[in-house]
Amino acid sequence: MAAATLTREGGEDAFRRLFRFYRQRDASDLRGVVDFSVPGGQVFRSQLSISSVSDQDAYRAGLQPVSQWKAYGLHGYPGFIFIPNPFLPGCQRHWVKQCLKLYPQKPNVCNLDLHMAPEKTIDLWGQSKEQLRRKGSSKWEPRSLLEKLRWVTLGYHYNWDTKKYSANHHTHFPSDLAFLSEQVAAACGFQGFQAQAGILNYYHFDSSLGIHVDQSELDHSRPLLSFSFGQSSIFLLGGLKREEAPTAMFMHSGDIMVMSGFSRLLYHAVPRVLPNPEGTALPSCLDQALSSDLPVGSVIEHSSDDDWQVCAKYLQSSRINMTIRQVLAEGQKFPEELETNAKGQAPSEDSHHQEKSRAKRHKPNID
């Protein structure tokens, strides 16, 4: 059945039907997927708060001046904002390197902590870089630890079992990522946004993200910010109920999504990761070098050629997504509760981020 027909159909778990359609490796009918580089139809131009972010602060975050951004909304999804790659040339490389080299470091938490001794996950980058650098095109080569990374949590660490955050499971949120998030939120009309929690997802061509709603944050008046780097994907944005068929859209490297207001609590998922539509190993925006003249106070750092070689090799078959949230409203505190799971770092099986493994095939859990 064509995607267009499935999109029109509602009824029992219409979201699941479209998820399964796009999840198929041979799903070639992508005509119904919204492409924000060709606006029209359901897509309309969205206004930004240009005066809320100075050009200097945008530069410091590695972004173009907000006056040069393009932003779009979708009819039927108030509060949803899509910003096609607003990053300055070379600046995406910084965030890729941070997600692979710095952010997985302790005391941050990752999925490998569930299966490995603490001393084995201290330096995933150091243990993986040579293996990645030498990696060929064979699907049968063993995966490095970085390639086994599925998620990392920052700030208030999400408890995958209880689906809650807590005051006693918190580490320092990265200051560079907080600054980037604050500028994007301000440009979208959310001054004073505080980046308090982050979930980084690491995808490969056989990965997907199950159908879910991000509702664990105590303050839903603040937006959820999503940043994508590397290979492309199909993102599904649904309604308040799974009986509502979702809208499919492409997400490419550098694209930013903001879910706020009505769209903050909608069902969404990533059924499929797609090769770079340009037909090259990496998107051209990642080939661009960083300017040697960074502004004073820039949070962007130059990556060494050796580091970028490792990152580039990783991204040839992968996508990285950073979702940033404000958990608490100004002055708000967590409710008093007994900690039933003191460790609270991960579920016995990660039902949030799915991947088929060669050794053990799992059916996608899209509940």
Side-chain angles (χ1 to χ4, degrees):
M1 187 179 293
T5 304
L6 287 171
T7 301
R8 288 193 298 269
E9 289 189 354
E12 185 177 353
D13 213 344
F15 202 131
R16 181 194 293 266
R17 290 201 300 272
L18 206 59
F19 183 100
R20 285 177 168 167
F21 175 86
Y22 285 117
R23 175 69 179 150
Q24 300 172 81
R25 294 291 84 153
D26 57 351
S28 58
D29 181 7
L30 303 181
R31 291 171 296 174
V33 182
V34 173
D35 186 346
F36 288 94
S37 66
V38 188
Q42 194 177 356
V43 178
F44 63 91
R45 194 69 182 263
S46 184
Q47 296 299 310
L48 294 169
S49 182
I50 295 174
S51 62
S52 297
V53 179
S54 69
D55 289 356
Q56 183 70 9
D57 281 345
Y59 289 142
R60 289 176 58 208
L63 299 165
Q64 301 172 25
V66 178
S67 59
Q68 297 180 21
W69 299 7
K70 293 179 180 178
Y72 301 99
L74 286 173
H75 291 295
Y77 297 95
F80 175 79
I81 304 171
F82 191 100
I83 305 169
N85 183 16
F87 289 93
L88 290 167
C91 289
Q92 289 188 53
R93 292 186 176 192
H94 169 84
W95 303 109
V96 172
K97 184 192 72 173
Q98 298 296 79
C99 287
L100 292 175
K101 185 175 183 179
L102 182 66
Y103 298 157
Q105 293 180 10
K106 297 294 167 272
N108 297 331
V109 183
C110 72
N111 63 292
L112 298 178
D113 296 327
L114 180 67
H115 309 288
M116 301 176 65
E119 62 272 15
K120 297 290 188 181
T121 61
I122 290 176
D123 184 16
L124 302 181
W125 175 270
Q127 297 181 70
S128 305
K129 60 182 181 180
E130 289 305 322
Q131 185 178 350
L132 269 171
R133 192 179 280 118
R134 295 191 308 267
K135 199 170 184 67
S137 58
S138 171
K139 294 181 180 180
W140 305 111
E141 291 184 60
R143 285 185 167 177
S144 64
L145 287 179
L146 271 182
E147 291 171 293
K148 294 178 181 179
L149 197 60
R150 297 293 164 264
W151 52 260
V152 169
T153 53
L154 310 171
Y156 287 114
H157 296 283
Y158 186 68
N159 185 317
W160 301 91
D161 288 332
T162 65
K163 301 188 185 308
K164 292 181 179 180
Y165 301 93
S166 61
N168 62 0
H169 195 199
H170 174 267
T171 57
H172 175 71
F173 193 93
S175 57
D176 58 347
L177 185 51
F179 186 76
L180 170 69
S181 303
E182 289 159 9
Q183 308 318 305
V184 171
C188 294
F190 296 95
Q191 285 79 18
F193 175 84
Q194 299 177 48
Q196 297 174 335
I199 298 179
L200 315 180
N201 278 309
Y202 301 79
Y203 299 83
H204 305 295
F205 285 133
D206 52 358
S207 303
S208 65
L209 180 69
I211 304 168
H212 68 287
V213 177
D214 291 295
Q215 57 186 0
S216 300
E217 297 74 29
L218 275 63
D219 179 18
H220 295 152
S221 68
R222 304 270 90 184
L224 183 146
L225 311 179
S226 170
F227 303 85
S228 291
F229 305 106
Q231 301 298 322
S232 300
S233 70
I234 294 175
F235 179 79
L236 298 179
L237 182 62
L240 295 170
K241 299 179 180 179
R242 289 172 58 141
E243 289 78 7
E244 300 176 53
T247 295
M249 62 196 80
F250 290 115
M251 290 194 70
H252 303 303
S253 191
D255 290 348
I256 299 174
M257 285 192 322
V258 178
M259 296 173 66
S260 67
F262 171 80
S263 294
R264 177 64 177 79
L265 296 174
L266 298 183
Y267 279 100
H268 55 279
V270 177
R272 189 173 169 192
V273 177
L274 300 168
N276 167 35
E278 298 170 325
T280 52
L282 290 181
S284 56
C285 60
L286 290 171
D287 290 334
Q288 298 169 310
L290 184 64
S291 168
S292 59
D293 185 23
L294 293 173
V296 175
S298 175
V299 301
I300 302 298
E301 300 172 344
H302 285 95
S303 298
S304 70
D305 290 342
D306 285 346
D307 281 358
W308 179 245
Q309 185 182 22
V310 175
C311 293
K313 181 70 77 169
Y314 176 90
L315 288 183
Q316 286 181 8
S317 60
S318 306
R319 168 181 179 257
I320 298 173
N321 178 254
M322 312 187 299
T323 57
I324 313 304
R325 309 107 189 281
Q326 179 169 335
V327 177
L328 301 167
E330 187 73 35
Q332 188 177 18
K333 295 183 179 180
F334 289 100
E336 294 291 333
E337 59 182 28
L338 294 174
E339 286 294 323
T340 56
N341 181 354
K343 192 171 183 179
Q345 294 182 356
S348 55
E349 282 294 338
D350 182 4
S351 60
H352 186 58
H353 191 185
Q354 304 301 325
E355 176 169 9
K356 289 183 179 178
S357 121
R358 292 187 300 272
K360 182 178 179 182
R361 298 279 175 174
H362 295 285
K363 291 183 179 179
N365 177 353
I366 54 176
D367 291 312

